[in-house]
Amino acid sequence: MSALRLDRTILRLSGPDARPFLDNLITQNLERLTNKPVYGGLLSPQGKAQADFFIWPQADDGLLLEADPARGADLFRRLSMFKLRAAVTIDDESAAYAVVAGFDDTPEGAAADPRLAALGWRKIVPAAEAEAIVRDDMRYAAHRIACGVPDLAIDAAAEEVFALEALFEELNGVDFKKGCFVGQENVSRMKRRATTRKKFCPIAFEGAAPAPMTPITAGGVEFGSVRSGIDGFAIALLRLDRVTEALAQGKTLDAGGKLVTLAPPSWLLMPAKEDA
């Protein structure tokens, strides 16, 4: 498949404090940032996801943050609010750069998606280089959903889910050993106590996907809701401990009158049995 141009916001962080400034705020450890992008997020003080993004290194030791446009303006505002006296400049470079992605052989200068290799590759290029590239027409979204990976700008409201509910652990978006970051205390507590029982998880069914936010129930009890979907497959936000208990009791899952089944990928960390 040829490359697709994705609709993304690009923020540039430059200046001598760019890396330490961002590293003190986000879930990812920027010591991991060498010649390939990393995935991370900015959380609320309570540990809920405000925005997720990719961080790309630059030759001048600056950084490019690639985020969904639905969260881009708020991300710019929040980073600017945190800046205070730090020697860092934050600029919106969305008009100057474009993001392209694909699922075939990785071209020169591109990088594998740091969340999950099956998602393919992505690359930041000057906007002029991407003018002839077809904009995404849901093919990338369909591939993402088929891989079982949520898009927080589509599948959750800002500050709806905690970082581990948003699969930051499974998708390489959080470093539990780094120093403090915004929301770190709650993330560490949920990890240490294994209390992440609500998570994004794929579901399977026949035919068209139920509408977003359709409740998912079993035996008349609601356990979560459908989020983005394609024919036969969707991302859902579910209390997985309660769902697995209901299924063990022989109950079936329903979404708007449609029979659905859990379809967790092998990499998804399911709640431990004792937690359920």
Coordinates of all heavy atoms in Angstrom, one line a residue, residues 16-59:
P16 N 17.9 25.2 24.9 CA 18.7 24.3 25.8 C 18.0 23.5 26.8 O 18.4 22.4 27.2 CB 19.7 25.3 26.5 CG 19.1 26.7 26.4 CD 18.3 26.6 25.1
D17 N 16.8 24.0 27.2 CA 16.0 23.2 28.2 C 14.9 22.4 27.6 O 14.1 21.8 28.3 CB 15.4 24.2 29.2 CG 16.4 24.9 30.1 OD1 17.5 24.4 30.1 OD2 16.0 25.9 30.7
A18 N 14.9 22.2 26.2 CA 13.8 21.6 25.6 C 13.6 20.1 26.1 O 12.5 19.7 26.5 CB 14.0 21.5 24.1
R19 N 14.6 19.4 26.1 CA 14.5 18.0 26.6 C 14.2 17.9 28.1 O 13.2 17.2 28.5 CB 15.8 17.2 26.3 CG 15.9 16.8 24.8 CD 16.8 15.7 24.6 NE 16.8 15.3 23.2 CZ 17.1 14.0 22.7 NH1 17.2 13.1 23.6 NH2 17.1 13.8 21.4
P20 N 15.0 18.5 29.0 CA 14.6 18.4 30.4 C 13.2 18.9 30.7 O 12.5 18.4 31.6 CB 15.7 19.1 31.1 CG 16.4 20.0 30.1 CD 16.2 19.2 28.8
F21 N 12.8 20.0 30.0 CA 11.5 20.6 30.3 C 10.4 19.5 30.0 O 9.5 19.3 30.8 CB 11.3 21.8 29.4 CG 9.9 22.2 29.2 CD1 9.2 22.9 30.2 CD2 9.2 22.0 28.0 CE1 7.9 23.3 30.0 CE2 7.9 22.4 27.8 CZ 7.2 23.0 28.8
L22 N 10.5 18.9 28.8 CA 9.5 17.9 28.4 C 9.6 16.7 29.2 O 8.5 16.1 29.6 CB 9.6 17.6 26.9 CG 8.4 16.8 26.3 CD1 7.1 17.6 26.4 CD2 8.7 16.4 24.9
D23 N 10.8 16.2 29.5 CA 11.0 15.0 30.2 C 10.4 15.1 31.6 O 9.9 14.1 32.2 CB 12.5 14.7 30.3 CG 12.7 13.3 30.8 OD1 12.3 12.3 30.2 OD2 13.4 13.1 31.9
N24 N 10.4 16.3 32.2 CA 9.8 16.4 33.6 C 8.3 16.4 33.6 O 7.7 16.3 34.6 CB 10.2 17.8 34.2 CG 11.7 17.7 34.6 OD1 12.3 16.7 34.9 ND2 12.3 18.9 34.6
L25 N 7.7 16.5 32.4 CA 6.2 16.5 32.3 C 5.5 15.2 31.9 O 4.4 14.9 32.3 CB 5.8 17.7 31.3 CG 6.2 19.1 31.7 CD1 5.8 20.0 30.5 CD2 5.6 19.5 33.0
I26 N 6.1 14.5 31.0 CA 5.4 13.5 30.3 C 5.8 12.1 30.8 O 6.7 11.9 31.6 CB 5.7 13.5 28.7 CG1 7.2 13.2 28.5 CG2 5.4 14.9 28.2 CD1 7.5 13.0 27.0
T27 N 5.0 11.1 30.4 CA 5.1 9.7 30.8 C 6.3 9.0 30.3 O 6.8 8.0 30.9 CB 3.8 8.9 30.4 OG1 3.7 8.9 29.0 CG2 2.6 9.5 31.0
Q28 N 6.8 9.4 29.2 CA 7.9 8.7 28.6 C 9.3 9.3 29.1 O 9.4 10.4 29.5 CB 7.9 8.9 27.0 CG 8.9 8.1 26.2 CD 8.9 6.7 26.5 OE1 9.6 6.2 27.4 NE2 8.0 5.9 25.9
N29 N 10.3 8.4 29.1 CA 11.7 8.8 29.4 C 12.4 9.2 28.2 O 12.7 8.4 27.3 CB 12.3 7.6 30.1 CG 13.7 8.0 30.7 OD1 14.3 9.0 30.4 ND2 14.2 7.1 31.6
L30 N 12.8 10.5 28.1 CA 13.5 10.9 26.9 C 14.9 10.5 26.7 O 15.6 10.7 25.7 CB 13.4 12.5 26.8 CG 12.0 13.0 26.6 CD1 12.0 14.5 26.3 CD2 11.3 12.3 25.4
E31 N 15.4 9.8 27.7 CA 16.7 9.1 27.5 C 16.6 8.0 26.5 O 17.6 7.6 25.9 CB 17.2 8.5 28.9 CG 17.7 9.6 29.9 CD 18.2 8.9 31.1 OE1 18.3 7.7 31.2 OE2 18.6 9.7 32.0
R32 N 15.4 7.5 26.3 CA 15.2 6.5 25.2 C 15.1 7.1 23.8 O 15.1 6.4 22.8 CB 13.8 5.8 25.5 CG 13.7 5.0 26.7 CD 12.3 4.4 26.9 NE 12.2 3.5 28.0 CZ 11.1 2.9 28.3 NH1 10.0 3.0 27.6 NH2 11.1 2.1 29.4
L33 N 15.0 8.5 23.8 CA 14.9 9.1 22.5 C 16.3 9.3 21.8 O 17.1 10.2 22.3 CB 14.2 10.5 22.7 CG 13.9 11.3 21.4 CD1 12.9 10.5 20.5 CD2 13.4 12.7 21.7
T34 N 16.6 8.5 20.8 CA 17.9 8.6 20.2 C 17.7 9.0 18.7 O 17.5 10.2 18.4 CB 18.6 7.2 20.3 OG1 17.8 6.2 19.8 CG2 19.0 6.9 21.7
N35 N 17.6 8.1 17.8 CA 17.4 8.4 16.4 C 16.0 7.9 15.9 O 15.7 8.0 14.7 CB 18.5 7.8 15.5 CG 18.5 6.2 15.6 OD1 17.9 5.7 16.6 ND2 19.1 5.6 14.7
K36 N 15.1 7.5 16.8 CA 13.8 7.0 16.5 C 12.8 7.7 17.4 O 13.1 8.1 18.5 CB 13.7 5.5 16.6 CG 14.6 4.8 15.6 CD 14.5 3.3 15.8 CE 15.4 2.5 14.9 NZ 15.3 1.0 15.0
P37 N 11.6 7.8 17.0 CA 10.5 8.5 17.8 C 10.1 7.6 19.0 O 10.3 6.3 18.9 CB 9.4 8.7 16.9 CG 9.5 7.6 15.8 CD 11.0 7.4 15.6
V38 N 9.6 8.2 20.0 CA 9.0 7.4 21.1 C 7.6 7.9 21.3 O 7.2 9.0 20.8 CB 9.8 7.6 22.4 CG1 11.2 6.9 22.3 CG2 9.9 9.0 22.8
Y39 N 6.8 7.1 22.0 CA 5.4 7.4 22.2 C 5.2 7.8 23.7 O 5.8 7.1 24.6 CB 4.5 6.2 21.9 CG 3.1 6.3 22.2 CD1 2.2 7.3 21.6 CD2 2.5 5.5 23.2 CE1 0.9 7.3 21.9 CE2 1.1 5.6 23.5 CZ 0.3 6.5 22.8 OH -1.0 6.6 23.1
G40 N 4.4 8.8 24.0 CA 4.2 9.2 25.4 C 2.9 10.0 25.5 O 2.2 10.2 24.5
G41 N 2.7 10.6 26.7 CA 1.5 11.4 26.9 C 1.7 12.4 28.0 O 2.6 12.3 28.8
L42 N 0.8 13.3 28.0 CA 0.7 14.3 29.1 C -0.5 14.0 29.9 O -1.6 13.9 29.3 CB 0.7 15.7 28.5 CG 0.6 16.9 29.5 CD1 1.8 17.0 30.4 CD2 0.3 18.2 28.8
L43 N -0.4 13.9 31.2 CA -1.5 13.5 32.1 C -1.9 14.7 32.9 O -1.2 15.7 33.1 CB -1.1 12.3 33.0 CG -0.4 11.1 32.3 CD1 -0.1 10.1 33.4 CD2 -1.3 10.5 31.3
S44 N -3.1 14.5 33.5 CA -3.6 15.5 34.5 C -2.8 15.1 35.8 O -2.3 14.0 35.9 CB -5.1 15.4 34.7 OG -5.4 14.1 35.3
P45 N -2.9 16.0 36.8 CA -2.3 15.6 38.1 C -2.9 14.4 38.7 O -2.2 13.7 39.5 CB -2.6 16.9 39.0 CG -2.6 18.0 38.0 CD -3.3 17.4 36.8
Q46 N -4.1 14.0 38.3 CA -4.8 12.8 38.8 C -4.4 11.6 38.0 O -4.8 10.5 38.3 CB -6.3 13.0 38.8 CG -6.8 14.1 39.8 CD -6.5 15.5 39.3 OE1 -6.5 15.7 38.1 NE2 -6.3 16.4 40.2
G47 N -3.6 11.8 37.0 CA -3.1 10.6 36.2 C -3.9 10.3 35.0 O -3.8 9.2 34.4
K48 N -4.9 11.2 34.6 CA -5.7 10.9 33.4 C -5.1 11.5 32.2 O -4.5 12.6 32.2 CB -7.1 11.4 33.7 CG -7.9 10.6 34.7 CD -9.3 10.9 34.8 CE -10.1 9.9 35.7 NZ -11.5 10.1 35.7
A49 N -5.3 10.8 31.0 CA -4.7 11.2 29.8 C -5.3 12.5 29.2 O -6.5 12.5 28.9 CB -4.7 10.1 28.8
Q50 N -4.5 13.5 29.0 CA -5.0 14.7 28.4 C -4.6 14.7 26.9 O -5.4 15.2 26.1 CB -4.3 16.0 29.0 CG -4.7 16.2 30.5 CD -4.0 17.3 31.1 OE1 -2.9 17.7 30.7 NE2 -4.6 17.9 32.1
A51 N -3.5 14.2 26.5 CA -3.1 14.0 25.1 C -2.0 13.0 25.0 O -1.2 12.8 25.9 CB -2.6 15.4 24.6
D52 N -2.0 12.3 23.9 CA -0.9 11.4 23.6 C -0.2 11.8 22.3 O -0.9 12.5 21.5 CB -1.3 9.9 23.5 CG -2.3 9.7 22.4 OD1 -3.0 10.6 22.0 OD2 -2.3 8.5 21.9
F53 N 1.0 11.5 22.1 CA 1.8 12.0 21.0 C 3.0 11.2 20.8 O 3.5 10.4 21.6 CB 2.1 13.5 21.2 CG 2.5 13.8 22.6 CD1 3.8 13.4 23.1 CD2 1.6 14.4 23.5 CE1 4.2 13.7 24.4 CE2 2.0 14.7 24.8 CZ 3.3 14.3 25.3
F54 N 3.7 11.5 19.6 CA 5.0 10.9 19.3 C 6.0 12.0 19.5 O 5.7 13.2 19.1 CB 5.0 10.4 17.9 CG 4.0 9.3 17.6 CD1 2.8 9.5 17.1 CD2 4.4 7.9 17.9 CE1 1.8 8.5 16.9 CE2 3.5 6.9 17.6 CZ 2.2 7.2 17.1
I55 N 7.2 11.7 20.0 CA 8.2 12.7 20.1 C 9.4 12.3 19.2 O 9.9 11.1 19.2 CB 8.8 12.7 21.6 CG1 7.6 13.0 22.6 CG2 9.8 13.9 21.7 CD1 7.3 11.8 23.4
W56 N 9.7 13.2 18.3 CA 10.8 12.9 17.3 C 12.0 13.8 17.6 O 11.9 15.0 17.8 CB 10.3 13.3 15.9 CG 9.1 12.5 15.4 CD1 7.8 12.6 15.7 CD2 9.2 11.4 14.4 NE1 7.1 11.7 15.0 CE2 7.9 10.9 14.2 CE3 10.3 10.9 13.6 CZ2 7.6 9.9 13.3 CZ3 10.0 9.9 12.7 CH2 8.7 9.4 12.6
P57 N 13.2 13.2 17.6 CA 14.4 13.9 17.8 C 14.8 14.7 16.6 O 14.5 14.4 15.5 CB 15.5 12.8 18.1 CG 15.0 11.7 17.3 CD 13.5 11.7 17.3
Q58 N 15.4 15.9 16.8 CA 15.9 16.7 15.8 C 17.4 16.9 15.9 O 18.0 16.8 17.0 CB 15.2 18.1 15.8 CG 13.7 18.0 15.6 CD 13.4 17.6 14.2 OE1 13.5 18.3 13.2 NE2 12.9 16.3 14.1
A59 N 18.1 17.2 14.7 CA 19.5 17.3 14.7 C 20.1 18.4 15.6 O 21.2 18.3 16.1 CB 20.0 17.6 13.3

